[in-house]
């Protein structure tokens, strides 16, 4: 196995003004499952293709272990790639598809058969080895594509949105299988997706990209609990974090829908802006009574009852929606206490569940009043 290092790696397409990937510094540990996530056009697939050798590295370098592979041909990089569209040969059987790369390399037939059988056993494909891809379901085809990568015994797996063609239920079960398989094999893996739920449930660590720039890389729990900036805060989490801008007045942060007393170090760090951006996740809000300190009124638009939880989507009263970056305030409520559509209720952020950001830079402000430095 091997580590993977992006060292100030950039990709500038001809005619473009800004790089698709901009000075990426990222290290993937030996045997680590790292997920790169971000919105469409953020550069995540470009970064993966740079590692694969399918995109030119304009500046910087990429290493696999101690080898500089920046200008090395894809076939010499000792990687295996799993594509979004499976890329199976329709005229070949499952066994022939899985062993094709080894056949091209001139591997002996008995060695090919042995590796294909081993991979088929791991992936529960033994009974399908003589079938053609058209006779398989989407999930089975994806497993064949995984098997084709496994038999090569590469140093690095690259996966480019491999679950996007599957239906929702199959996507959940297949992502569990992929994560379990990677941990069993211990092969260094770079996995690209736009689905942040996939990223949070599969990765040892998650790297968030936006406009070609690395925003933050951390464990899923740390990304959720301590987002480094406003973008990460709003992107990670489902439903999304509630984020609003507040004006600093004395020892309070005020908005059209209410005011909050904040820790003095946080207020001091934001006084130069005269404003502060505050985020609170749906589970960080409690129902409160009118007049409760730090509580603000909302008008309930929709209540999603999910059995174990209820999500309340509400508009801040007193015209406060303009101060929010999201259209509604979203709160997770005990389903037995959920209000009804049209009700006016008061919500109070939990003191230990608020996230503070600089309005001018978007960077996180810790409760000690320290500004978190940008990633990279």
């Amino acid at each position: 196995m091997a580590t993977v290092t992006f060292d100030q790696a950039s990709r500038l397409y001809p005619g473009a003004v800004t790089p698709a990937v901009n000075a990426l510094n990222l290290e993937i540990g030996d045997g680590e499952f790292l997920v790169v996530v971000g919105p469409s056009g953020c550069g995540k697939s470009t970064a993966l293709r740079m590692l694969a050798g399918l995109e030119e590295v304009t500046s910087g370098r990429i290493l696999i272990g101690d080898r500089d592979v920046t200008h090395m041909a894809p076939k010499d990089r000792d990687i295996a790639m799993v594509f979004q569209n499976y890329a199976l040969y329709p005229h070949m059987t499952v066994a022939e598809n899985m062993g094709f790369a080894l056949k091209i390399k001139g591997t002996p037939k008995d060695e090919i058969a042995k590796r294909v059988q081993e991979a088929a056993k791991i992936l529960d494909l033994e009974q399908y080895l003589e079938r053609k891809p058209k006779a398989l379901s989407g999930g089975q085809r994806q497993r064949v594509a995984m098997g084709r990568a496994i038999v090569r015994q590469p140093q690095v797996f690259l996966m480019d949105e491999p679950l996007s063609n599957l239906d929702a239920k199959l996507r959940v079960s297949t992502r569990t299988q992929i994560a379990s398989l990677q941990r069993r094999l211990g092969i260094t893996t770079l996995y690209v997706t736009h689905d942040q739920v996939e990223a949070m449930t599969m990765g040892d660590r998650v790297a968030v990209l936006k406009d070609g720039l690395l925003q933050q890389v951390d464990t899923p729990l740390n990304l959720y609990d301590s987002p480094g900036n406003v973008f990460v805060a709003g992107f990670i989490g489902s439903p999304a974090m509630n984020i609003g801008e507040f004006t600093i007045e004395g020892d309070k942060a005020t908005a059209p829908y209410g005011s909050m007393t904040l820790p003095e170090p946080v207020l001091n760090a934001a006084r130069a802006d005269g404003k502060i951006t505050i985020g609170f996740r749906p589970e960080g809000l409690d129902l409160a009574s009118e007049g409760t300190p730090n509580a603000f009124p909302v008008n309930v638009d929709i209540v999603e009852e999910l059995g174990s939880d209820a999500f309340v989507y509400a508009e801040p009263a007193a015209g406060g929606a303009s101060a929010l970056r999201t259209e509604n305030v979203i709160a997770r409520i005990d389903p037995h206490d959920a209000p009804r559509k049209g009700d006016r209720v008061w919500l109070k952020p939990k003191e230990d569940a608020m996230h503070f950001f600089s309005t001018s830079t978007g960077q996180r402000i810790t409760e000690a009043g320290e500004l978190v430095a940008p990633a990279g």
Side-chain angles (χ1 to χ4, degrees), residues 161-176:
E161 306 211 31
L163 306 184
S164 59
N165 286 336
L166 304 181
D167 63 55
K169 185 176 180 181
L170 191 55
R171 205 157 52 229
V172 172
S173 62
T174 307
R175 78 185 184 210
T176 304

Side-chain angles (χ1 to χ4, degrees), residues 173-186:
S173 62
T174 307
R175 78 185 184 210
T176 304
Q177 292 169 355
I178 289 177
S180 175
L181 176 64
Q182 190 276 337
R183 281 161 179 74
R184 201 183 328 159
L185 297 173

Side-chain angles (χ1 to χ4, degrees), residues 30-339:
D30 187 7
E32 183 179 18
F33 194 126
L34 183 98
V35 180
V36 179
V37 68
S40 296
C42 72
K44 55 188 183 295
S45 289
T46 301
L48 179 139
R49 290 171 62 84
M50 289 163 67
L51 175 55
L54 303 177
E55 293 286 356
E56 178 187 350
V57 178
T58 310
S59 62
R61 60 182 188 148
I62 296 176
L63 292 86
I64 297 178
D66 295 328
R67 292 186 306 146
D68 187 336
V69 300
T70 309
H71 303 295
M72 193 178 287
K75 65 182 178 63
D76 298 325
R77 298 191 180 202
D78 199 9
I79 59 168
M81 193 160 176
V82 180
F83 295 93
Q84 179 178 336
N85 61 358
Y86 319 139
L88 301 178
Y89 295 107
H91 62 287
M92 293 184 183
T93 64
V94 167
E96 289 168 341
N97 265 287
M98 289 171 65
F100 185 69
L102 298 179
K103 180 180 178 181
I104 293 298
K105 287 175 64 177
T107 306
K109 288 185 178 180
D110 57 343
E111 178 66 16
I112 294 175
K114 178 185 175 184
R115 290 204 207 172
V116 167
Q117 193 65 38
E118 287 174 350
K121 185 175 182 179
I122 291 171
L123 295 164
D124 195 22
L125 289 171
E126 291 172 290
Q127 65 269 44
Y128 305 113
L129 287 174
E130 298 308 314
R131 293 192 188 183
K132 300 285 181 67
K134 67 180 179 182
L136 304 178
S137 68
Q140 289 164 345
R141 291 178 195 176
Q142 190 54 269
R143 297 213 303 274
V144 174
M146 287 288 300
R148 183 176 53 196
I150 290 169
V151 298
R152 295 181 59 186
Q153 299 177 351
Q155 286 191 300
V156 181
F157 276 152
L158 304 181
M159 302 188 191
D160 190 7
E161 306 211 31
L163 306 184
S164 59
N165 286 336
L166 304 181
D167 63 55
K169 185 176 180 181
L170 191 55
R171 205 157 52 229
V172 172
S173 62
T174 307
R175 78 185 184 210
T176 304
Q177 292 169 355
I178 289 177
S180 175
L181 176 64
Q182 190 276 337
R183 281 161 179 74
R184 201 183 328 159
L185 297 173
I187 296 176
T188 307
T189 301
L190 180 63
Y191 186 105
V192 163
T193 180
H194 66 277
D195 185 335
Q196 55 97 10
V197 175
E198 248 177 59
M200 296 288 283
T201 55
M202 295 179 75
D204 296 322
R205 288 189 303 151
V206 179
V208 183
L209 287 186
K210 180 194 177 198
D211 299 332
L213 294 168
L214 180 64
Q215 302 296 305
Q216 188 174 355
V217 56
D218 213 327
T219 63
L221 185 60
N222 284 344
L223 277 181
Y224 190 84
D225 285 344
S226 302
N229 59 39
V230 170
F231 174 77
V232 176
F235 189 80
I236 296 295
S238 181
M241 180 185 287
N242 304 287
I243 299 174
E245 290 185 5
F246 292 71
T247 301
I248 295 175
E249 296 180 359
D251 65 346
K252 294 184 181 295
T254 66
Y257 49 87
S259 63
M260 299 183 192
T261 302
L262 304 182
E264 189 64 26
V266 173
L267 286 171
N268 289 338
R271 285 190 197 281
D273 289 340
K275 293 184 177 182
I276 187 169
T277 299
I278 302 176
F280 29 90
R281 295 203 180 276
E283 65 273 19
L285 289 167
D286 285 332
L287 286 174
S289 56
E290 184 176 0
T292 301
N294 284 4
F296 57 91
V298 295
N299 298 319
V300 177
D301 288 332
I302 299 171
V303 178
E304 289 184 345
E305 297 189 31
L306 304 177
S308 59
D309 290 308
F311 286 100
V312 174
Y313 294 75
E315 181 180 342
S322 61
L324 287 170
R325 298 193 180 197
T326 48
E327 291 182 5
N328 295 308
V329 172
I330 307 171
R332 190 176 78 183
I333 304 296
D334 185 319
H336 301 99
D337 292 333

